[in-house]
Amino acid sequence: MIASSVLTFGSLYTQSYFSEYENLKSFRDKNKYMINHLLLIKRISEDTGTGEGTRLSYLVKGIILGDHSEIELRVTKLEYLKSKLDKQPLYKSKLTGDIFLRDAPLEYYNAQIRSFYFNIYLKISFYIILGLILYKGIGYAREKLFYARIIR
C-alpha cells in the first residue's frame, strides 16, 4: 500500500502518471516513438544507492551529442554497454524524454519492460486498495450509525 501510494502520488505530482504506458508504447514502435542519439561517456562509477551494498548499479555520466545535454544513466550491468566505452548508442523516447540503451542485450529490454509493468500494477492496485478501504470504512460508519440509532 505504501509503495503504490508513494508511486502514484509521486507520478501525479511530477505529471508523469502515464510515463510507463508511454514508454511501453515507445518500445513497441521504436521507429515512430524513439530518436536515435549517441552518448559521449565522461565517467562510469559504481552507484551504491542507499548504501546497502556495492555494485548494485553503475552510474554513466555523459553528453548526448545530438543536443549537447548532460545526462546520468543508471545501468545494472556493465555488460549492457558496448565494449567500446567512449561512445554509446541511445534511444530517447519522443513521448516521455526517457533515455534507454540502443544496442543492449535482450535482458536489458526485458528488465525495463518488467519494471514498466510492475509500476503500472502498483498504480492500479492503489485505486483497488483505496476502493476497498472506502467500502469497508463506509460499511463501518453505517454500522456504527445504525447501532447508535437503535440504542437511542
Side-chain angles (χ1 to χ4, degrees), residues 132-143:
L132 288 173
I133 290 172
L134 287 174
Y135 175 75
K136 291 292 187 179
I138 290 171
Y140 179 76
R142 282 185 181 168
E143 184 179 314

Side-chain angles (χ1 to χ4, degrees), residues 23-146:
N23 282 331
L24 282 172
K25 193 174 176 181
S26 297
F27 269 92
R28 286 189 188 119
D29 193 357
K30 292 178 183 170
N31 294 330
K32 186 175 181 182
Y33 297 114
M34 294 282 202
I35 301 170
N36 293 328
H37 280 293
L38 198 62
L39 175 68
L40 179 63
I41 296 176
K42 286 183 169 181
R43 188 173 69 186
I44 299 174
S45 59
E46 288 184 11
D47 181 30
T48 58
T50 59
E52 296 174 2
T54 58
R55 299 180 190 217
L56 295 177
S57 66
Y58 295 92
L59 187 62
V60 179
K61 293 183 180 182
I63 298 175
I64 295 179
L65 294 179
D67 57 3
H68 302 291
S69 60
E70 290 190 16
I71 65 160
E72 293 181 352
L73 181 67
R74 293 195 192 290
V75 179
T76 54
K77 295 181 182 177
L78 284 179
E79 294 85 33
Y80 293 160
L81 299 173
K82 292 189 99 173
S83 59
K84 191 176 180 185
L85 289 177
D86 58 342
K87 292 183 181 176
Q88 183 69 36
L90 299 174
Y91 283 129
K92 184 174 182 180
S93 173
K94 291 179 184 177
L95 300 175
T96 61
D98 290 344
I99 296 172
F100 307 99
L101 297 175
R102 187 169 65 203
D103 295 332
L106 187 61
E107 180 185 357
Y108 169 78
Y109 296 111
N110 288 339
Q112 292 292 324
I113 289 171
R114 275 193 308 270
S115 74
F116 296 151
Y117 279 122
F118 183 69
N119 287 342
I120 290 170
Y121 167 76
L122 285 177
K123 288 178 182 179
I124 291 171
S125 69
F126 169 77
Y127 294 107
I128 293 170
I129 294 168
L130 182 64
L132 288 173
I133 290 172
L134 287 174
Y135 175 75
K136 291 292 187 179
I138 290 171
Y140 179 76
R142 282 185 181 168
E143 184 179 314
K144 287 293 185 183
L145 184 62
F146 177 73

